[in-house]
Amino acid sequence: MKILIIEDETDLLEAMVDYLTSEGIICETALTYFKAEDSLSVYSYDMIILDLTLPGGNGLDLIKLIKERNSSAGLLIVSARNSLNDKLTGLDLGADDYITKPFHLAELNSRIKSLARRRFFEGKNELTFNEIKINPDSFEVTVNGEIIDLTRKEYDILLYFMVNRDRVITRESIAEHIWGDNSTFADNFDFIYSHIKNIRKKIEQKKGTNYLHNIYGIGYKFCEK
Amino acid sequence: MKLLQKTNRTYLILSASAFAIAGLLTYFILSLFIESQLNEKLSDSKVHLINTIERSGIIYTDPPYIEVREEPVVSEIKDFFSDTILFDSSENESVPFRQLTGTSLINGKNYKIIIRNTLIEKSDFLLTIILTTGSVFVLLLLSLYFINKKLSSKIWSPFYSILDELKKFSQENTSFVLTTTGGIEEFEELRSTLNKLTTKVISDYQLLKRFTEDASHEIQTPLSIIQSRLESLIQAPDLTEIQASKIHSAYSASARLAKLTRSMLFLARIENRQYPESEKINLESIVRSQTEFFAEAIRDKSISVEIHSDSECILNANVFLAESLVQNLFGNAIKHSFRNSRIIIEISQESFVISNNGAALLVEPEKLFDRFYKVNSSSDSFGLGLSIAREICKAYNWNIIYIAKETLHTVIIKF
């Protein structure tokens, strides 16, 4: 998958590129409005990540250009503005998703993957890790071919791990992923602990392996070992 | 004390003392004047009497007014005046007199002559003066009172209407201007000064609101960098536990800061009315979906949630704000509930009531709505949740109150 990241903050851009590259995504970058215009008129991308606040022009104008030149590309908007108006205008103009700064890289990755699944696999997009299979369309999880019954939040957490496998996922990032930005519970990690415990138990009940490893009490990593 | 009352009271005190002094002065001046008039008259009478006796040779007496007696004493007494009281048998009472006592040599004989004239009784005299000045005083007061009343309602009317206008002042109302005019210079000045003041207050307030929003925006990008950098550091494969925990504590702090700026931004947005889109919302369905959202937390604490809905509650509001409001209050209720307790939610067309059982509150419930107010200062929360709830209510003119009765906590929103 080849994506274009349009972002004016070099440091943030670098962090995003690092993370996504190691996910096997080919990243190209544009630091300014004009550079983005250039790249968009020459190359085609599977997905475009666009920061709305850009030097040299309004990111919302770029959306029109993207829709003209690269209409098949998925479009994820990044904004520090967090303004509902921007969000609505962006989505109206054809953006697929919207993420607000500051975000967790795992969250960004999860959004990109989810967007890619929706756009390119047309529903036939099971995620598989050894004996564990997730079907995001039917919200079904099977372990060794047997369906396990997860709650909505347990499902969300497992999917989040499956998308961000082999990475340390912090509790903060999980909490925000399932509770949202402004929740009273976003800083309450007890629930995450009990969710993870439940997921492990349910997987092990179907003779599955526990791939969820606790990392120094800062978070979890979903990996072989 | 009202202005009119105050002026009337001052008038009353001043004019009462002025009238008392005036009354006394009148009394003394009139007394002196009457006395000298009487003295003159008595002297005239004496001269007239002497002339009559000289001419006719008859000693004329008319007690008690005129008394003439032959006196053997040769020495001549100079005329002198005095006051005396004699019994008047016709009136059957003591009557005060002014009398002239003197001697006179008439046709070779020495006579003592006393001529008297009735005096007005002092008490009668005083009473008359008191009555006259008193009635003038009352008349004056009455007219002053009515004039004042009339004048103040007329002259002060711009003042009162400025006051009425000012009472409607709110920093939110950016177009606030005092419009009263009355053609009185002082009030015109008051009005223009107040207009300057309110404009300043409004613009400062707007600036402050903008500042919070801008500052929060500006913080977000550097925060993203910090957060994403730390996140990649955590991924390093050869990290020791000590290193990891140090990085994590920095990461947690930045995540907290991110949450804080987000909450502040959200608050500023609601204040700046940046959620204008509104639609018809069924409150009960929001509550039900939030029950699902909190399902695990509710189960975890073995809380039973009861939802009573008397009548359908349809609100005209922004979906996002309405959800945030319910989520906020519901989340709070769950967070602060005892284990195995009950949360009761009552929904009606007029109100939304949520109550739960939790530790008794040690402070005024009203304080909980203050920004950054925390009951427990070591708590991880920022103390912005209820401020956000109140700000959302304010945006729709809903009334939110928090009632704490021992362990029963109730939040009521009246639509």
Side-chain angles (χ1 to χ4, degrees), chain A residues 9 11 14 80-82 85 101-102 104-105 151 153 167-168 170 172 176 179 183 191 195 216 218, chain B residues 217 220-221 224-225 227 229 231 235 239 241 244 248 251-252 258-259 262 269 277 293-294 296-297:
Chain A
E9 290 289 333
D11 285 313
E14 214 178 290
R81 275 192 258 176
N82 188 16
N85 284 337
K101 281 183 188 174
H104 300 274
L105 290 171
T151 65
K153 288 202 183 64
R167 292 190 175 275
V168 181
T170 59
E172 285 85 352
E176 243 170 68
W179 294 110
S183 169
F191 293 117
H195 287 324
Y216 302 140
I218 60 180
Chain B
H217 275 153
Q220 289 195 315
T221 300
S224 311
I225 297 167
Q227 212 167 304
R229 287 302 191 187
E231 233 171 84
Q235 307 301 335
L239 219 56
E241 186 167 354
H248 184 246
Y251 175 80
S252 294
K259 228 179 98 62
R262 245 182 229 146
R269 286 243 168 71
E277 309 79 10
F293 182 77
F294 289 123
E296 287 87 354

Side-chain angles (χ1 to χ4, degrees), chain B residues 265-317:
Chain B
L265 203 52
F266 186 40
L267 207 50
R269 286 243 168 71
I270 308 167
E271 271 187 344
N272 294 342
R273 304 285 182 268
Q274 286 177 24
Y275 296 96
E277 309 79 10
S278 63
E279 56 192 88
K280 293 211 179 311
I281 296 167
N282 186 329
L283 188 63
E284 192 182 342
S285 67
I286 289 184
V287 172
R288 299 251 177 231
S289 75
Q290 290 301 321
T291 317
E292 232 157 87
F293 182 77
F294 289 123
E296 287 87 354
I298 293 168
R299 207 182 316 125
D300 193 70
K301 278 189 142 178
S302 312
I303 293 168
S304 66
V305 177
E306 286 172 29
I307 302 172
H308 304 292
S309 179
D310 300 342
S311 53
E312 208 177 40
C313 179
I314 306 291
L315 297 172
N316 207 20

Side-chain angles (χ1 to χ4, degrees), chain A residues 14-165:
Chain A
E14 214 178 290
M16 285 157 82
V17 171
D18 283 353
Y19 198 102
L20 298 175
T21 310
S22 62
E23 285 290 314
I25 297 169
I26 301 156
C27 299
E28 279 187 21
T29 59
L31 276 163
T32 62
Y33 186 89
F34 302 108
K35 176 72 182 25
E37 251 182 349
D38 265 11
S39 300
L40 283 169
S41 30
V42 183
Y43 306 104
S44 78
Y45 301 93
D46 297 316
M47 199 173 299
I48 292 150
I49 300 171
L50 169 65
D51 186 340
L52 284 183
T53 40
L54 280 179
N58 186 342
L60 286 171
D61 296 336
L62 268 182
I63 298 178
K64 288 176 199 141
L65 189 74
I66 292 166
K67 288 292 140 188
E68 275 167 33
R69 304 278 164 83
N70 254 297
S71 59
S72 67
L75 176 57
L76 174 65
I77 288 176
V78 173
S79 173
R81 275 192 258 176
N82 188 16
S83 138
L84 202 70
N85 284 337
D86 268 7
K87 183 171 177 175
L88 291 176
T89 323
L91 296 181
D92 273 354
L93 287 172
D96 298 284
D97 204 352
Y98 189 98
I99 190 169
T100 317
K101 281 183 188 174
F103 48 80
H104 300 274
L105 290 171
E107 182 68 39
L108 177 72
N109 184 35
S110 150
R111 301 279 187 105
I112 290 172
K113 294 284 172 64
S114 143
L115 196 53
R117 281 198 306 274
R118 273 186 284 156
R119 278 195 98 81
F120 309 119
F121 303 102
E122 284 156 352
K124 306 211 166 19
N125 51 34
E126 279 188 343
L127 274 90
T128 312
F129 188 78
N130 295 346
E131 71 272 31
I132 302 172
K133 268 189 194 148
I134 294 186
N135 185 335
D137 301 312
S138 56
F139 302 108
E140 247 175 31
V141 182
T142 58
V143 176
N144 291 319
E146 279 186 84
I147 291 177
I148 57 169
D149 189 22
L150 296 177
T151 65
R152 183 62 215 245
K153 288 202 183 64
E154 288 162 5
Y155 169 85
D156 281 343
I157 292 172
L158 185 62
L159 182 62
Y160 196 49
F161 276 116
M162 290 278 273
V163 172
N164 289 294
R165 60 186 76 154

